[in-house]
Amino acid sequence: MRPEFTFGGAMSHFQNTGGPKGFLLKFALVYAVIGVATQALALWLQWPVYEIYIRAFTEGEGDISLYMDELAAVSMRSNLMGILMLPVSALVWAMFEAASQRRYMRSARFRLTVGADEGRLLVVALIWVAFVIAAYFAFAIGVLIPAVIGGVVFGAAGAVIFGIVAAIAALGTLLWLVARFSPAAALTVRDRHIRFFEAWNVTRGKGWTLFGCYLLMIVISLVSVLIFYGVLFAAGIAVLGQLDGTAPEEMTRALVTPQIIVPAALAGFVAICFQAALMHIFGGPAALAAKRDPAWAGEGGGVVDAFS
């Protein structure tokens, strides 16, 4: 039987995908390892620029103008090398998104591949990029016009109030539209064909439920992030408090000791794991909507309207 689409079921769908156990843990850990490797590669490509800024603060008392000639000589090359990270990052995203959606739509075990699913998801990602660009301009216009009207009619206070109300309404509309098209990746993996606008029909009658799911997920995520970084901030303040009054050279040496670097690196690794877990969890509601699609005959059966 196809699972019912309910608010609670959508929120917890990442726990009810079927398939071998331990998917989320493997997903998060591998994502973090590859994420660290990718960031290390990006740092290495951009290192000539970072090295100049480090010398500016350690040797030049923070005066970057003394190093502008060196910076100009290496920045273009470093920026060109950095552009190489765009396809690498896109491919890494596609690999993990495909693994996540295969879990949801096919109850597959965790595995990373570079194949047809990943290629189709890259096309879906490009459509999302176009959607975001269009939404940016629509948001700007949707906020600017009410703010101008409010300013003309009620003065500066009216412009601020109308602008804030319009911004909230525009953000809500944007989130609702994102919710309506959110099953695009799940449908693409499900049908083994590029799907995007088809998601509109799949989410008919489910839009507000998806909206509520994503809104609650965003709030929970923000609270979790604030708590996590609040703990790190408090720990950082405690460490700096112990070094208060220490000479700058000694403070620098103290901050690069294993006692500081290892916990900081571990905290960063945990943060990336958390980001990876959110990536998979956030896909749950949309994937359940795709599974609950009345036009879908199930794995191996195709779409009823197209093949009946």
Side-chain angles (χ1 to χ4, degrees):
M1 294 181 61
R2 199 171 292 136
E4 293 293 331
F5 186 83
T6 63
F7 183 88
M11 288 288 294
S12 62
H13 185 49
F14 72 96
Q15 298 176 310
N16 305 307
T17 58
K21 302 293 185 182
F23 177 90
L24 186 59
L25 179 60
K26 295 175 183 177
F27 185 93
L29 289 176
V30 176
Y31 183 98
V33 171
I34 294 180
V36 170
T38 303
Q39 292 179 16
L41 177 59
L43 178 62
W44 178 72
L45 292 173
Q46 295 288 326
W47 179 250
V49 173
Y50 294 137
E51 191 268 339
I52 291 174
Y53 277 100
I54 291 173
R55 284 196 289 115
F57 282 93
T58 57
E59 301 173 1
E61 298 180 351
D63 188 0
I64 193 62
S65 64
L66 300 175
Y67 301 85
M68 290 306 296
D69 291 339
E70 290 184 65
L71 190 60
V74 303
S75 60
M76 181 61 71
R77 180 173 62 87
S78 295
N79 289 336
L80 290 175
M81 295 293 288
I83 292 176
L84 296 176
M85 291 303 301
L86 291 177
V88 172
S89 300
L91 180 59
V92 169
W93 170 84
M95 291 167 60
F96 280 94
E97 180 67 14
S100 176
Q101 295 300 338
R102 281 193 294 265
R103 176 67 168 191
Y104 281 124
M105 305 312 302
R106 305 172 193 166
S107 298
R109 63 181 177 83
F110 174 73
R111 63 187 179 92
L112 297 179
T113 63
V114 178
D117 283 336
E118 290 73 18
R120 288 187 285 262
L121 285 175
L122 285 173
V123 176
V124 172
L126 289 176
I127 299 174
W128 273 115
V129 169
F131 177 91
V132 170
I133 293 173
Y136 174 82
F137 286 104
F139 177 85
I141 295 172
V143 173
L144 180 62
I145 292 177
V148 170
I149 294 175
V152 171
V153 178
F154 300 105
V160 173
I161 294 174
F162 275 55
I164 291 175
V165 172
I168 294 173
L171 285 174
T173 302
L174 178 60
L175 181 58
W176 183 77
L177 288 173
V178 169
R180 289 299 305 269
F181 289 110
S182 60
L187 294 175
T188 297
V189 171
R190 186 195 76 179
D191 298 341
R192 295 180 171 89
H193 290 284
I194 296 170
R195 304 285 189 234
F196 188 86
F197 298 102
E198 293 84 352
W200 186 265
N201 290 328
V202 170
T203 57
R204 193 181 305 278
K206 306 179 183 73
W208 288 112
T209 302
L210 287 168
F211 178 92
C213 287
Y214 288 125
L215 188 61
L216 181 58
M217 284 181 168
I218 289 171
V219 171
I220 294 174
S221 300
L222 288 176
V223 171
S224 301
V225 168
L226 288 175
I227 293 174
F228 179 76
Y229 283 105
V231 172
L232 292 184
F233 180 77
I237 292 296
V239 171
L240 292 177
Q242 294 178 354
L243 298 175
D244 188 29
T246 306
E249 297 81 5
E250 295 181 6
M251 181 179 292
T252 301
R253 286 194 294 270
L255 291 176
V256 296
T257 58
Q259 291 83 352
I260 299 296
I261 292 179
V262 172
L266 181 60
F269 188 81
V270 171
I272 299 176
C273 288
F274 180 69
Q275 175 187 343
L278 288 181
M279 176 182 176
H280 181 65
I281 292 170
F282 266 70
L288 183 60
K291 278 190 171 183
R292 195 65 184 89
D293 178 13
W296 188 49
E299 179 64 21
V303 179
V304 172
D305 292 339
F307 295 94
S308 59

